[in-house]
Amino acid sequence: MAAAEAYFDLLDLLDSREILDPPAFLSLIQRAYGTGPVTYLEGAVIDGRLHARSLHLSHRTNANAFRRSLHRKAAVEQILRVLVALEPIAFSGWQKSGNHDQHLIGYPLPGRHSCLLVDLGSGPSEISAWRRVHDRDLLSLGAKLNARLASAATDGPQKRIPSTPLTRRERETLAWIAAGKSYWETAVILGISERTIRHFMANARQKLDVVTNAQAVAEAVWRGLIPRLADTQAS
């Protein structure tokens, strides 16, 4: 099926299917656009480690190996770039496929710390031509899939909203701590004192009902309470 036709079929599927199978949907994207494996990831990079809350892969057979690869330093660094980006990012993969390096496109998705990772497996010139035709489709389908998964997550009884909302400064502080910045570095970035940063983090931990900074960041990210770093820099 041509990608142009498949795009609308995939949109209809997202709108009409009462129960969605994310890996099967990603497999349809892979088939329609002639790519390698397609992955949906939601999570955060905290203290240099990837904490994946939701991970769906079109390639079920290699799922365990792929999950292990996500914790390598090169993978964590690339995923962090995608999660905080405003536009798709092309990069060489952190795994080798035979004698050839992987080439992936990371599509940051709106509203949550999540992304699509699409393995194209070809060289830079082929990737550029493919992206000119298909980037818009992948961003649109990824955003719709993201919305479906977010809706499913918030429908359950496990969704908790803090009784006292986080302030803008608390959310900004959490965003930079999530990126691996120290209290001192975050204070310099935000132009306030390190003591104030510590105060913001203590307030955030209390409001989110957690003990450690890593738990606070993970909880805030998973609830969609903190912004992308690109947004904090623009404000």
Side-chain angles (χ1 to χ4, degrees):
M1 182 183 297
E5 298 174 3
Y7 169 73
F8 293 103
D9 289 340
L10 290 168
L11 285 182
D12 289 342
L13 188 153
L14 283 171
D15 289 334
S16 62
R17 187 70 57 85
E18 184 175 349
I19 299 177
L20 183 70
D21 180 352
F25 182 76
L26 295 174
S27 295
L28 291 174
I29 292 179
Q30 179 177 340
R31 190 181 316 148
Y33 290 91
T35 73
V38 181
T39 302
Y40 170 90
L41 169 69
E42 180 204 354
V45 176
I46 304 170
D47 295 332
R49 293 181 60 83
L50 176 65
H51 296 255
R53 186 191 186 202
S54 181
L55 180 64
H56 300 290
L57 306 96
S58 66
H59 46 302
R60 301 172 193 259
T61 56
N62 297 321
N64 289 335
F66 184 83
R67 286 187 176 92
R68 288 193 297 270
S69 74
L70 289 176
H71 295 284
R72 296 172 184 161
K73 182 179 179 181
V76 172
E77 291 174 350
Q78 298 284 21
I79 290 170
L80 178 59
R81 288 180 58 211
V82 177
L83 290 177
V84 302
L86 294 177
E87 297 179 348
I89 295 177
F91 56 92
S92 294
W94 49 82
Q95 298 184 101
K96 293 286 184 180
S97 178
N99 295 322
H100 303 286
D101 199 6
Q102 290 177 305
H103 295 280
L104 295 95
I105 307 296
Y107 294 92
L109 303 179
R112 289 146 66 91
H113 285 246
S114 52
C115 63
L116 280 185
L117 301 173
V118 180
D119 185 354
L120 295 183
S122 54
S125 60
E126 292 86 354
I127 289 175
S128 179
W130 186 93
R131 290 189 60 188
R132 281 196 295 271
V133 178
H134 299 307
D135 258 9
R136 186 179 300 179
D137 285 7
L138 269 294
L139 282 169
S140 175
L141 291 168
K144 291 281 286 187
L145 173 62
N146 205 39
R148 275 295 305 266
L149 295 176
S151 177
T154 56
D155 285 344
Q158 74 278 9
K159 184 69 175 181
R160 296 177 291 123
I161 303 299
S163 56
T164 305
L166 298 176
T167 66
R168 178 177 64 87
R169 279 304 204 187
E170 288 164 355
R171 290 186 289 112
E172 290 175 346
T173 298
L174 281 165
W176 287 109
I177 296 298
K181 301 299 183 183
S182 67
Y183 284 154
W184 178 82
E185 290 170 322
T186 302
V188 171
I189 292 168
L190 296 181
I192 53 184
S193 71
E194 183 177 344
R195 180 178 180 181
T196 302
I197 293 296
R198 292 181 180 275
H199 175 70
F200 286 155
M201 286 302 299
N203 284 349
R205 291 194 300 270
Q206 182 179 20
K207 291 177 180 180
L208 295 168
D209 192 25
V210 297
V211 176
T212 68
N213 285 350
Q215 291 171 342
V217 169
E219 187 71 17
V221 167
W222 294 342
R223 298 186 197 181
L225 299 177
I226 64 177
R228 297 181 189 275
L229 294 182
D231 296 335
T232 68
Q233 290 171 309
S235 61

